[in-house]
Amino acid sequence: MRTIAEFEAAARERLEPAHYDFFAGGAGDERTLRANEAAFGRRSLVPRVLRGNGKRDLAVEIAGSPLSMPVLVSPTAFHRLAHPDGERATAEAVAAAGTVMVVSMAATTAIEDIAAAARAVAADPSLWFQLYLQPDLEFTGSVVRRAERAGVRALVVTVDSPVFGQRERDHRNGFHDLPPELAVENMRDGSGSVRDIEMSAELSWDHLAWLRETTSLPLLLKGILHPEDARLAVAAGVDGLVVSNHGGRQLDTAVSTLDALPELAAAVGGVIPLVLDGGVRRGTDVVKALALGANAVGIGRPVLWGLAAAGREGVAEVLARLREELDHTLALCGAGTPGELTADLVR
Ligand code: FNR
C-alpha cells in the first residue's frame, strides 16, 4: 500500500461497516467533508526552478514542541475500534516518526498508558492532549492535572462542538456508543466511573480565561474558521490555532479549511502558529496549506486508515509516505524548508 486511498480501501475491508462509517462519515449531506479535499484539488502549484536547494530540512517547531516534519496527528476518538492495539500503537508510530500526536479526550486508552507507549519508543516524545471543556469545571481541571502529570506538552481545546454534529451514517447504522468492553478512559472520575463527554453551548471566552489561569501549558484552540475569532483568540493569550471544521463532522456546509486559511493567516499576522486540518491526503496538499499560511497540518482519518489496515506499522507507513511526498514536492517546487513556501506558489 502506497497511498492513503489504498490504506482507506484496506481499512474498509477489515472494519465492521458501522465502524468504517463512523470513521469516514461527516455531518448532514457531507458537503464540508468533500469540500475539504476538493479545495486542495482546485488549487495548482506554480513551482520555482534553479534555486540550488540541494539539502532539505522538514523540521518545524510549533508551540514549543519540535516536529520532524510539519505534519502532526489530529485527535480522533476510539482507536481501539480501529485496531486492538489502539492508541498505544498510534503513539508508538508517531513517537518513532518524531512528530506530535494529539490524544483525543475520547481516547479508548488512558493518557498515562499512551504516554508510556510513546516513551518506550522515543526519549522525549511530544504528546498534546485534546480537551472538550466540560461544564463541570472542577472535573475539567482534574483532567487537565492528569494530562499534565502524564507529561503532555500542550492542550488543544476543541471549540467547534457546542452540540454534537448530526452524523446521518451513524443514525442509519444505529451506532451511538462504544461496545461494552471499551471506554473513554480519560473520563474516569475519582470513583472510577466513566463520565460521558458533555458538549455545551454555554461555553464562552470566560471559560477559556479560566483554563488559561489553571494551567501553564501552551493552549491551542481547535475549530477556528472565522477571522474575528482568530483575533479574539490572540487577545485571549492563546498559543496557537487549529484551523479545522472537525473533518466535516460538525457544521455541514462550513467553509473548507483551505479556503478559510488565507483570511485567518492575515488576521493572526504570524503572531501565533496555525495548524490546518481536514482533507490532507498528499504531500502536495501539505505544501499548498503551508504556502497559504499554515505552519503545519494535521491528519485525522489517514492515521485511522493506517491503524485499521496494519496497526502500528500502518500508521508508520502513512507518516513515512507523507514525509516522502512532502520532501519530493518541496524539491520539485524549488524549496529547501517549509518556511520557504510562499503564497505565490499556489494558484
Ligand atoms: C475526529 N475529530 C476529533 N476532533 C476532536 O477535537 N476530538 C475528537 O475526539 C475527534 N474525534 C474524531 C473522530 C473521527 C473518527 C474523526 C474522523 C475525526 C476531528 C479531527 O481531529 C480532525 O479535525 C479531522 O479528522 C481532520 O480531517 P481529516 O484529516 O480526517 O480529513
Side-chain angles (χ1 to χ4, degrees), residues 109-128:
T109 308
I111 182 63
E112 296 82 1
D113 296 336
I114 299 171
R119 276 198 201 97
V121 171
D124 201 12
S126 283
L127 291 175
W128 297 356

Side-chain angles (χ1 to χ4, degrees), residues 23 75 77 104 130 132 158 222 244 246 249 277-279 281 300-301:
F23 291 135
S104 168
Q130 177 263 326
Y132 291 108
T158 299
K222 175 170 180 282
S244 176
H246 217 112
R249 296 163 76 82
D277 78 17
R281 303 293 180 264
R301 293 180 184 83

Side-chain angles (χ1 to χ4, degrees), residues 21 61 168 201-202 238:
D21 273 345
E61 191 184 301
E168 317 272 346
E202 316 253 292
V238 160

